[in-house]
Amino acid sequence: MLLALRDADSDPADFPSDAFMDEPDPATYRQARLSPNWRQWHKAIQSEIDGILQPDRADPVTAFPPGSTVLPSKFVFKLKKLTDGSLDKFKARCTTRGDMDRTFYEEAETFAPTPQLTTFRLLLALCLKHRLMPYHYDVSQAFLQAPIPEDERYYVRFPKGYIHPKGYVGAYMKKALYGHRTSGRLWSETAHRFMTDRYPTLSRSTYDECLYIGWIDTQLFIVLIYVDDFIVACADELSRARFHADIMSTFQATYSGVLNQFLQLRVDVQTETLPTGESYPTRIELSHERSITDLCAKFSIDTDKQPPRSPMTEGLSLPIPSPDTIDRSIETPLRSLIYSLLWLARTLRPDIYYHVTYLAQFCHQPTVEALTAAKRILHYAYSTRDYTLAMAIDSAAPQLTAFCDSDHAGDTATRNSVSGYCLYFHGMLIDWWSKKQKSCTALHSTEAEYVAMSEACTSALAIYNTLTEFFPSDELITINVDNSAVQTLVTQRALSSKLKHIAVRYHAVRNWCQGPLRKFTPVWIPTDDNQSDIFTKALPITKHGVPIIDKFTARLLDIKDRRVKLVEKLRAAEAQQLHAQQQQLQQQQRQDEIVLASLQRQNLIG
């Protein structure tokens, strides 16, 4: 049914009520007016404009001064949902075209730091180790609370189609607006000033500028800032109450209590209560179930079909795209799907990380085979959507334990080797990656393992430095490798002449494994125990299902049992097939013996 376009001065009360109708987010203001949810969108728009036109944020104007630079703006609509799929709120964000402000084309200071996902997982791990409860604060219209220097202020025109009830056509901005090139930097500086002014005992991390760690009245206190989200970890309720009062009096913020949702992740914090009445976390689980379900609907995945048992066929190697196989019509959906899968893999699905990064190289040369393989990964993720990345402290485990591996000449197209790595903090997985060794060509597997170990040590050392910056420790990092030759190479004093062609930067691993700069203890392990093997190649179903993933991807017990039974069934089928082949071979041998004996008797008679 088509709806007539509503007039600009129409009363929202004349149109659909507050009944919520699930639909795609409007792309334009016109689409929002045609939406069955126009009443809710209108409320969200008016709330956004009212927030902008607060006296300390902007001055409304009915006409722009002649010769002034006026930046256009538009509304970005988003229907926000909770992790269980229920409605959270209708959100309309007014953003400006900051790229059209010629004044700041030469502006160098536009960088705004954002914390790494590894830092977020490290924060949760520290909460479990030090018995800190994580709390969540969300600053409303964060950029609009960052003041703009007087010489950098600008005019903004309201989005096309929107008419203000008082006849305002725009505003002169005194505080930052979303979309401008300098807004992120201004808000970052504002948040940093808040932390340093109110909490001088907290120190900003040198390795991640969004992480603040320190002590307040002898109590450990950690704050992680992700744009407008503040994650606060503390054990003392008085410290949290003080932070609550400070942030509420400084910014317009929303307190969500114990962390339960972050960046579309569902966070389940399991706690225990002390006799004093204070609670502390004992286990934290992260899941992506709703996001995966939404992606399957977006990319038309038939979830009723039999799901694949692994993300990718073992040993899959797609051919190098040629002009005849490249299909530009699927470039946009392929890019969108790959980027969505990369987000899943980087946040909490390490079991699909290698497979997604392998397909990412086909984004600029899209093929039907690549799109089919990407949809298979998404279908596999849907069948395992109830997997959770569980974190629980293991006091007996070393502080940091790393695993590294490589697949020599694993990329059949370029013959580059593939490196894989994962890192544990007291038995909790906090970091992983898979990447091609582009800067050098390994001549044999030992060289590939040597380069992979150097890259793994570099990543692990960054986490080690972040920890020792606030928690000094002399404990060495255990790095596990399944190549004994590499273990010898990094610990012997003389450099082998066969490795001199490798880039100098990779030889730093030798200084980290011996001498005064030693930070690592290399340990040889069997290949079957190397948990980073899954980051270097597409493994067979039996190996992908239990021996590798179960070591670092925790899941609900019933899911694990079902997976184990599936693998046992596959192994039983393989054993039965092998037994049948052996029986057939024995029967054939007996028949051959009978024929041979018959021929021998005939020769004797003749």
Side-chain angles (χ1 to χ4, degrees):
M1 178 179 178
L2 297 177
L3 299 178
L5 179 63
R6 294 144 191 176
D7 298 331
D9 56 351
S10 297
D11 184 358
D14 297 337
F15 299 99
S17 65
D18 289 335
F20 163 62
M21 295 187 64
D22 198 358
E23 62 170 355
D25 297 329
T28 62
Y29 182 77
R30 177 187 177 93
Q31 291 183 10
R33 297 190 69 85
L34 290 170
S35 168
N37 299 316
W38 166 239
R39 175 188 288 270
Q40 292 90 336
W41 289 125
H42 182 270
K43 291 179 179 179
I45 290 171
Q46 204 56 48
S47 175
E48 176 74 5
I49 295 299
D50 291 344
I52 293 175
L53 295 182
Q54 291 185 16
D56 62 330
R57 296 180 179 180
D59 294 330
V61 296
T62 56
F64 298 104
S68 60
T69 300
V70 182
L71 303 180
S73 64
K74 65 169 293 185
F75 288 116
V76 177
F77 300 96
K78 182 66 177 178
L79 197 154
K80 306 281 284 187
K81 295 182 179 180
L82 300 175
T83 53
D84 60 359
S86 60
L87 175 65
D88 182 13
K89 61 181 176 180
F90 288 78
K91 189 172 185 178
R93 177 72 71 201
C94 183
T95 63
T96 185
R97 287 287 303 276
D99 60 304
M100 300 185 65
D101 191 350
R102 305 291 177 177
T103 307
F104 299 100
Y105 267 176
E106 302 300 327
E107 176 66 43
E109 293 295 332
T110 59
F111 172 75
T114 303
Q116 302 178 17
L117 292 171
T118 302
T119 306
F120 168 65
R121 291 189 289 265
L122 178 61
L123 169 66
L124 298 181
L126 289 173
C127 289
L128 292 167
K129 180 181 179 182
H130 297 282
R131 293 189 171 186
L132 309 177
M133 284 296 293
Y135 302 96
H136 185 207
Y137 289 86
D138 182 12
V139 179
S140 303
Q141 297 181 319
F143 285 10
L144 284 168
Q145 304 187 50
I148 305 175
E150 292 187 4
D151 58 340
E152 297 182 9
R153 296 178 179 178
Y154 45 85
Y155 288 93
V156 172
R157 187 188 304 276
F158 287 148
K160 182 179 180 180
Y162 173 77
I163 299 179
H164 195 275
K166 296 184 179 180
Y168 299 140
V169 296
Y172 178 66
M173 301 305 302
K174 294 185 289 186
K175 292 193 175 180
L177 187 64
Y178 287 86
H180 199 275
R181 296 179 64 211
T182 60
S183 296
R185 171 181 61 86
L186 294 174
W187 164 245
S188 176
E189 293 174 351
T190 302
H192 178 63
R193 283 196 301 269
F194 166 76
M195 294 300 302
T196 54
D197 293 345
R198 299 297 182 94
Y199 301 95
T201 58
L202 300 186
S203 300
R204 191 181 197 179
S205 174
T206 307
Y207 301 93
D208 196 321
E209 296 183 352
C210 298
L211 180 64
Y212 297 82
I213 300 180
W215 281 260
I216 300 179
D217 298 332
T218 70
Q219 296 291 332
L220 181 60
F221 199 85
I222 306 176
V223 178
L224 181 68
I225 304 176
Y226 195 102
V227 190
D228 56 353
D229 291 307
F230 283 70
I231 299 179
V232 181
C234 60
D236 185 10
E237 179 62 25
L238 294 178
S239 300
R240 189 207 62 81
R242 174 187 169 185
F243 183 88
H244 181 91
D246 289 340
I247 194 172
M248 291 297 184
S249 62
T250 306
F251 306 119
Q252 294 182 4
T254 303
Y255 174 56
S256 303
V258 177
L259 181 67
N260 58 18
Q261 180 175 342
F262 181 70
L263 299 178
Q264 298 182 352
L265 298 176
R266 180 180 178 180
V267 184
D268 183 15
V269 181
Q270 301 177 16
T271 63
E272 287 187 4
T273 304
L274 297 172
T276 58
E278 295 183 352
S279 300
Y280 66 92
T282 58
R283 181 183 177 91
I284 298 177
E285 294 186 358
L286 307 175
S287 62
H288 247 321
E289 185 172 353
R290 188 183 68 83
S291 299
I292 295 175
T293 304
D294 292 344
L295 286 176
C296 288
K298 177 180 178 181
F299 293 101
S300 303
I301 303 297
D302 188 358
T303 56
D304 293 332
K305 290 185 176 180
Q306 179 70 23
R309 296 171 179 171
S310 63
M312 185 178 288
T313 305
E314 179 187 0
L316 177 66
S317 179
L318 298 181
I320 300 177
S322 63
D324 296 334
T325 59
I326 294 177
D327 187 356
R328 293 297 175 186
S329 63
I330 63 174
E331 181 172 6
T332 298
L334 178 61
R335 284 180 181 271
S336 179
L337 178 55
I338 291 295
Y339 295 161
S340 300
L341 290 173
L342 278 173
W343 173 252
L344 295 178
R346 194 68 189 96
T347 48
L348 54 85
R349 289 302 299 262
D351 55 326
I352 64 173
Y353 194 93
Y354 163 77
H355 315 83
V356 179
T357 54
Y358 171 74
L359 295 179
Q361 61 185 329
F362 294 94
C363 285
H364 68 292
Q365 293 180 324
T367 62
V368 176
E369 293 83 359
L371 181 60
T372 303
K375 288 186 175 181
R376 173 190 170 116
I377 296 176
L378 181 56
H379 196 183
Y380 167 81
Y382 178 82
S383 66
T384 56
R385 63 190 181 280
D386 38 12
Y387 282 12
T388 63
L389 183 64
M391 308 179 74
I393 190 71
D394 183 359
S395 302
Q399 177 174 266
L400 290 176
T401 305
F403 292 82
C404 66
D405 195 15
S406 70
D407 184 22
H408 180 233
D411 191 329
T412 57
T414 62
R415 308 313 300 178
N416 287 119
S417 301
V418 180
S419 299
Y421 146 89
C422 59
L423 179 70
Y424 292 84
F425 175 75
H426 286 294
M428 296 174 284
L429 183 66
I430 61 173
D431 192 23
W432 60 84
W433 50 247
S434 172
K435 62 177 70 173
K436 286 198 295 186
Q437 300 177 4
K438 294 184 179 180
S439 58
C440 69
T441 300
L443 302 182
H444 49 79
S445 60
T446 300
E447 293 183 14
E449 296 277 1
Y450 185 83
V451 174
M453 187 174 181
S454 179
E455 294 175 334
C457 288
T458 302
S459 299
L461 197 59
I463 307 299
Y464 175 83
N465 291 335
T466 303
L467 287 170
T468 55
E469 184 179 9
F470 303 102
F471 310 99
S473 174
D474 297 330
E475 184 178 353
L476 298 179
I477 306 171
T478 302
I479 183 162
N480 299 277
V481 61
D482 57 7
N483 189 303
S484 58
V486 172
Q487 182 186 13
T488 304
L489 286 173
V490 298
T491 54
Q492 70 180 5
R493 300 186 63 179
L495 179 63
S496 173
S497 60
K498 296 182 179 180
L499 299 178
K500 290 185 177 179
H501 66 283
I502 297 180
V504 176
R505 69 190 187 97
Y506 293 118
H507 295 308
V509 66
R510 292 168 47 79
N511 296 329
W512 296 332
C513 293
Q514 58 180 303
L517 300 179
R518 185 182 180 189
K519 295 292 188 298
F520 295 87
T521 299
V523 177
W524 178 87
I525 57 174
T527 300
D528 290 340
D529 293 337
N530 194 340
Q531 302 172 24
S532 59
D533 191 26
I534 196 173
F535 300 107
T536 61
K537 62 182 76 69
L539 299 176
I541 295 175
T542 54
K543 199 171 184 180
H544 186 91
V546 174
I548 299 296
I549 295 185
D550 286 351
K551 294 177 181 176
F552 65 84
T553 304
R555 64 202 65 175
L556 301 178
L557 183 60
D558 58 335
I559 300 300
K560 181 176 180 179
D561 290 343
R562 189 172 72 241
R563 192 67 175 177
V564 170
K565 292 178 181 178
L566 174 62
V567 175
E568 290 177 351
K569 183 178 179 181
L570 290 173
R571 289 176 176 172
E574 292 177 357
Q576 185 178 2
Q577 183 179 4
L578 179 61
H579 180 67
Q581 291 176 353
Q582 291 176 349
Q583 287 184 335
Q584 184 178 3
L585 179 61
Q586 292 175 358
Q587 184 178 1
Q588 184 66 35
Q589 290 176 349
R590 287 194 296 267
Q591 292 178 355
D592 292 342
E593 291 175 355
I594 294 173
V595 172
L596 179 61
S598 176
L599 292 175
Q600 290 177 349
R601 287 195 300 270
Q602 292 178 3
N603 291 336
L604 291 175
I605 295 173

